[in-house]
Amino acid sequence: MPRTGVHRAAGPRTAPGALAAALIVAVSALSGCAFGERGEDGAPPRTTPRLPPRHAGFDYQIGGAYPPPAGVRIVSRDRSDSPAPGLYNICYVNAFQAQPAERSSWPADLLLRDARGRVVIDEDWDEPLLDIGSPAKRERVARRVNRWIDGCADKGFDAVEPDNYDSWTRSHRLLTASDATAFMRLLSRHAHTRRLAVAQKNTAELAGRRERAGLDFAVTEECGRYDECEVYAKAFDDRVVDVEYTDAGLRAARARWGDRLSIVRRDRDVSTPGSAGYVREGGQGGRRAR
């Protein structure tokens, strides 16, 4: 959601019998992969998801879906919407916090609470933080979020964008970066079994943990404005889609990264065309829409 504030070679030939045995072993191994044998850590085998193209036209539509402008090849939409035909589609999921309207549907013990029993709130968005502070609770929260990820896959999205990876920084030290990484890994493992790529959303300080968390590319907000694009570009080999919410941020992102990353300028409410505040401008220039 929009930020507020600062923020290999062939071996030798073998005899026919040995060759047959080798073939049996090889086929058995392939069958195990195909039918989902689990690895040493008990996780399902990772399939290979399709990754977003580098340096492509991008539109951020999590505030409501609309026909993508000409030149757009990547679009991000809320999980309640459908993918845009023919494009690379990213599915937005609020994974680490509860939407205000959904707060009552969460079990009370899965909402993070302080020492006095009060629910910890992200005050910018009035969203309770989810309690991912123990393996058992992470598993329970993941079961629900993974159902949403299944919905993204069933609709035909190519990737998922689990938002609020950085919520541990707003937890008053009740959660840690390790908690966030462990929870993200649960989501990534499941998404990969559904052939969905997984985006790291913001959280530059954890970019070095991308492999541990199972992350494939990055969706960033204002990496130009906050001078963070290089961190993501290095970690994800330029597979970065960036949203800027200010003219200055767009200029900064274009100046250094306009020929490498996928960049778009949107209004902070990510509104739809026809709305009073609607703004969209591509990362490589062009007409500014309002």
Side-chain angles (χ1 to χ4, degrees):
M1 61 183 59
R3 294 184 183 186
T4 58
V6 177
H7 285 300
R8 307 172 178 131
R13 289 188 179 183
T14 58
L19 178 59
L23 286 172
I24 291 171
V25 171
V27 170
S28 298
L30 288 172
S31 298
C33 291
F35 289 98
E37 273 191 7
R38 295 178 177 267
E40 292 180 0
D41 60 357
R46 173 172 173 164
T47 55
T48 303
R50 188 164 69 99
L51 299 182
R54 296 178 179 89
H55 187 228
F58 173 50
D59 200 11
Y60 204 49
Q61 298 187 4
I62 68 170
Y66 53 87
V72 168
R73 295 172 59 199
I74 306 171
V75 65
S76 184
R77 289 178 170 176
D78 187 77
R79 64 183 175 87
S80 62
D81 287 319
S82 297
L87 303 184
Y88 188 93
N89 287 273
I90 304 168
C91 188
Y92 172 92
V93 174
N94 191 356
F96 289 74
Q97 298 181 180
Q99 300 283 110
E102 297 177 346
R103 173 174 174 170
S104 62
S105 70
W106 281 93
D109 68 320
L110 291 184
L111 301 180
L112 185 68
R113 296 175 185 272
D114 63 19
R116 298 175 62 182
R118 297 174 300 189
V119 175
V120 179
I121 302 290
D122 175 353
E123 296 182 357
D124 285 334
W125 297 97
D126 191 30
E127 292 182 353
L129 274 64
L130 299 174
D131 190 348
I132 56 169
S134 71
K137 287 191 174 182
R138 285 195 287 271
E139 290 282 354
R140 290 174 61 200
V141 176
R143 280 198 293 271
R144 179 166 179 160
V145 177
N146 283 339
R147 289 198 295 269
W148 299 340
I149 290 173
D150 286 337
C152 296
D154 292 342
K155 286 184 175 183
F157 282 90
D158 300 288
V160 63
E161 171 193 342
D163 197 14
N164 290 307
Y165 188 24
D166 61 347
S167 63
W168 61 276
T169 65
R170 300 183 287 279
S171 73
H172 309 298
R173 300 186 178 181
L174 296 171
L175 300 175
T176 67
S178 294
D179 293 329
T181 304
F183 181 65
M184 183 65 85
R185 184 169 175 79
L186 292 177
L187 304 183
S188 297
R189 284 175 173 176
H190 184 78
H192 288 148
T193 68
R194 298 303 309 270
R195 296 183 181 272
L196 292 172
V198 185
Q200 173 168 325
K201 180 68 173 291
N202 298 321
T203 325
E205 60 269 44
L206 298 188
R209 302 188 183 195
R210 61 156 293 194
E211 292 187 3
R212 193 185 322 172
L215 297 165
D216 303 297
F217 68 102
V219 174
T220 69
E221 290 174 301
E222 304 194 283
C223 76
R225 177 182 178 186
Y226 294 109
D227 195 23
E228 295 174 339
C229 296
E230 184 172 5
V231 174
Y232 298 110
K234 285 184 175 180
F236 293 95
D237 193 23
D238 286 359
R239 290 193 193 275
V240 178
V241 292
D242 174 52
V243 190
E244 297 291 335
Y245 298 114
T246 65
D247 289 335
L250 179 62
R251 286 194 299 271
R254 278 178 175 172
R256 187 170 179 190
W257 303 102
D259 61 346
R260 291 174 57 179
L261 309 184
S262 303
I263 303 166
V264 70
R265 160 81 158 95
R266 287 302 325 268
D267 57 284
R268 194 169 291 278
D269 291 329
V270 284
S271 57
T272 57
S275 303
Y278 173 77
V279 174
R280 183 194 180 276
E281 187 172 355
Q284 288 73 47
R287 187 174 66 84
R288 178 189 181 91
R290 277 194 178 275

